[in-house]
Amino acid sequence: MEYGTIIEATGQVIDVVGVIAIVIGVVYAMLDAALRGLRRVSPVYTRFRRVLGRAILLGLELLVAADIIKTVAVTPTLDSVVVLAIIVLIRTFLSWSLELEISGRWPWQKWRDGRNADGPDADEVSARPAASGPEASGPAVSR
């Protein structure tokens, strides 16, 4: 196989994986929202938007990676690089917009409330029942 053919095939595989990530995310978000609605577990809508937005973000990142691989590695002409730059700008704007919708913050803003991006979501924490009894105050500390 020729180098260009391998790179082109790799880009196409990553394209397909990006689309699959979006489709699976849409299906998962819809099933999750449906189950939450049937069980009357709050929140439904905000969680649906967040899960869907995260799936779209993941898919967009994979699609940008595929475009970079296919454009720069296979046909690095000035025209193809300009087209790639426009595509990356549009997808970056979409990613930032989705991130703002999901988290309520721009991607470059730090978490001010002590949570990180991998921690529990605010609505999931607020939906949990408050702990009571001795375990609510934390472990005992001896001095």
Side-chain angles (χ1 to χ4, degrees), residues 28-42:
Y28 174 77
M30 289 171 56
L31 289 174
D32 181 59
L35 290 173
R36 284 177 159 274
L38 290 172
R39 294 178 183 162
R40 300 192 190 284
V41 177
S42 292

Side-chain angles (χ1 to χ4, degrees), residues 5-25:
T5 307
I6 294 171
I7 297 299
E8 184 70 29
T10 302
Q12 288 175 350
V13 168
I14 296 172
D15 262 341
V16 170
V17 171
V19 171
I20 289 171
I22 292 172
V23 169
I24 289 173

Side-chain angles (χ1 to χ4, degrees), residues 10 37 61 66 79 92 95 105 117-118 120:
T10 302
E61 289 175 9
D79 289 341
T92 300
S95 294
R105 303 168 199 262
D118 296 328

